[in-house]
Amino acid sequence: MSVKKTALTVLSAALLVPTMLMAPAHAAPTPPAQPADGKAQPPKAPDAKAAPAPPVSMSTVGGTLLGQPGTQVNLLPGAPALPTSLTGRSWIVADAESGEVLAAHNAHWRLPPASTMKMLFADTVLPGLPKDKVHKVTDKDMEGVGPGSSLVGVKEDLEYSVHDLWLGVFLRSGNDAVHVLSAMNGGIEKTVKDMQAHAEELQALDTHVVSPDGYDAPEQVSSAYDLTLVARSGLQKQDFREYCGTVGAKFPGKQEPGKPREYFEIQNTNRLMTGAGGISPYKGIAGVKNGNTTMAGATFTGAAQQGARKLLVTVMNPGAGGANSVYEETAALFDWGFAAAGKVKPVGELVPPKSADTRPHGSPAQSHENNAAAAGGGSGGGFGTALGVAGGALAVLAGGAFVINRRWPRGRRGRDEDWV
């Protein structure tokens, strides 16, 4: 099967070492004591009536303030107040270029990530699979897709290009597409190991990978800080930017001998991009990934640009009800972040990968291998371009305009093209 190549905008990508950290203007509340036995509690389904408290002690990667429970923000005169309606158990607002963390709430709380884990999957696996490579799906490829999984509609005995499958991952959060790509990468077990190694290279040390698709699994955790690191890394990659910034596309369907292959429409499940569910599309949105499972609740990492300012926001498990709460709280934090530009002192920073890191960034997190489910005292869980794609139109949103300028030391990498 031949696949038409998409004409895509080539973007440069990069990052900047942030500034020194300042003391918070608002003290964090004192959390309840940890369980007497000191053991981390397993992830639980969201319960607004009895929301668990964050751990007393969390990682300080990125700065000591980020390891403290509660809200950390350092407002200067004239700075807007943070939104009062925030209910996420954990969230973070960061400048995508400088890496400065403008504000955070329980940034290192290890919580179930749901399909935001697919960002790490893509950032790990995407560079090694040529997008025009074609694969015929087997029954074995589809083994282990969890019941109730989100699916794009991959079928056994049909052929799909890597490009098709990534559209299924980013737009429909298709666990079926994740499993096929994992098979092409050498299998689920190898892919999980690859993802874990990449997380550690990124210094996303709160993250413990069990399944590549983010499906609920015991001890599978990440944090708002880590998910933001992963998104920032993914956005260095042109294909990642293009896929996560795609609003809609056509996906391959049935293939009958002697007839053209059928295609069906798929749309991105990111409501801040599509405006589905009564949410207005967010101005300047450029991705990245949403998720929702029983243990994780709703999770979302978004990237947006207004003027020269580029922000990353992650929200995990809002306590407010409704399918739109994670998007509403993300939009509110974007609004605050753009309004607060130059009016806050950073409370932390997004650290560079280990191989590019030449100075300390706070104390490291405990290795997930020693404390895999360290969730503390209760874990809970516009621009548009029409591009031709394999039988249909691919609608790309703001990914082509979202450019991050790297300025951190290259360390052992030594080659600019590693970050293009």
Side-chain angles (χ1 to χ4, degrees):
M1 180 188 72
S2 63
V3 181
K4 296 180 182 177
K5 293 185 178 179
T6 309
L8 298 172
T9 305
V10 177
L11 302 173
S12 62
L15 301 149
L16 169 75
V17 176
T19 61
M20 298 298 290
L21 309 182
M22 310 298 293
H26 301 300
T30 301
Q34 292 284 62
D37 62 7
K39 294 181 180 179
Q41 300 300 301
K44 298 177 181 178
D47 184 352
K49 294 182 180 180
V56 173
S57 177
M58 293 178 280
S59 166
T60 56
V61 170
T64 56
L65 296 180
L66 299 181
Q68 297 181 12
T71 300
Q72 307 299 324
V73 65
N74 208 332
L75 303 176
L76 297 175
L82 282 165
T84 58
S85 58
L86 301 175
T87 66
R89 290 184 182 176
S90 176
W91 54 259
I92 191 169
V93 183
D95 187 292
E97 289 197 330
S98 71
E100 293 176 347
V101 176
L102 307 185
H105 180 76
N106 303 324
H108 281 290
W109 191 356
R110 296 178 177 182
L111 297 165
S115 285
T116 49
M117 182 65 82
K118 290 183 174 75
M119 294 189 298
L120 179 59
F121 170 71
D123 195 38
T124 303
V125 175
L126 192 154
L129 296 177
K131 64 196 306 181
D132 57 352
K133 183 175 181 178
V134 174
H135 178 76
K136 186 173 183 178
V137 176
T138 68
D139 292 343
K140 185 175 177 58
D141 294 342
M142 303 289 279
E143 289 179 357
V145 176
S149 288
S150 53
L151 305 172
V152 67
V154 174
K155 301 297 182 184
E156 295 88 342
D157 299 322
L158 294 182
E159 292 183 336
Y160 299 87
S161 69
V162 167
H163 175 74
D164 295 329
L165 294 168
W166 283 121
L167 288 174
V169 171
F170 278 92
L171 273 66
R172 299 304 303 171
S173 203
N175 289 5
D176 47 358
V178 170
H179 277 250
V180 175
L181 288 164
S182 295
M184 297 176 70
N185 185 59
I188 295 293
E189 183 177 354
K190 177 183 180 297
T191 298
V192 167
K193 289 180 179 179
D194 290 347
M195 291 170 64
Q196 193 66 67
H198 187 52
E200 292 174 6
E201 157 64 10
L202 295 178
Q203 304 202 63
L205 304 182
D206 298 325
T207 299
H208 181 235
V209 185
V210 177
S211 65
D213 51 21
Y215 192 81
D216 281 340
E219 300 184 352
Q220 179 151 268
V221 290
S222 190
S223 67
Y225 183 88
D226 280 14
L227 293 173
T228 307
L229 279 185
V230 171
R232 193 184 191 208
S233 175
L235 289 166
Q236 309 307 299
K237 300 170 178 63
Q238 177 183 333
D239 286 347
F240 186 105
R241 290 194 301 271
E242 291 161 351
Y243 289 128
C244 79
T246 299
V247 181
K250 289 185 179 294
F251 193 79
K254 292 190 299 183
Q255 176 73 71
E256 296 183 7
K259 294 183 179 180
R261 186 158 190 182
E262 296 181 6
Y263 287 81
F264 56 91
E265 299 281 348
I266 58 173
Q267 187 179 58
N268 203 308
T269 55
N270 177 353
R271 295 186 179 186
L272 288 184
M273 290 176 59
T274 64
I279 289 287
S280 297
Y282 192 82
K283 180 183 177 182
I285 192 72
V288 176
K289 191 73 188 73
N290 56 307
N292 197 319
T293 65
T294 300
M295 286 199 296
T299 60
F300 182 68
T301 298
Q305 177 176 355
Q306 293 185 9
R309 180 74 58 172
K310 307 168 187 73
L311 297 180
L312 288 164
V313 171
T314 296
V315 175
M316 301 185 76
N317 201 342
N324 288 334
S325 58
V326 74
Y327 301 108
E328 293 167 346
E329 295 190 19
T330 298
L333 286 169
F334 271 134
D335 286 345
W336 176 83
F338 287 120
K343 301 175 183 177
V344 296
K345 293 180 180 178
V347 296
E349 60 182 343
L350 301 177
V351 296
K354 285 182 180 179
S355 56
D357 198 358
T358 59
R359 63 191 183 91
H361 297 272
S363 63
Q366 279 189 304
S367 169
H368 58 82
E369 297 300 336
N370 297 326
N371 191 9
S379 167
F383 307 90
T385 306
L387 300 176
V389 174
L394 170 67
V396 176
L397 197 63
F402 197 84
V403 181
I404 302 174
N405 297 301
R406 171 182 60 80
R407 294 173 191 166
W408 70 35
R410 288 178 294 184
R412 295 190 299 273
R413 289 184 179 272
R415 295 190 307 155
D416 282 342
E417 57 263 35
D418 287 333
W419 295 99
V420 173

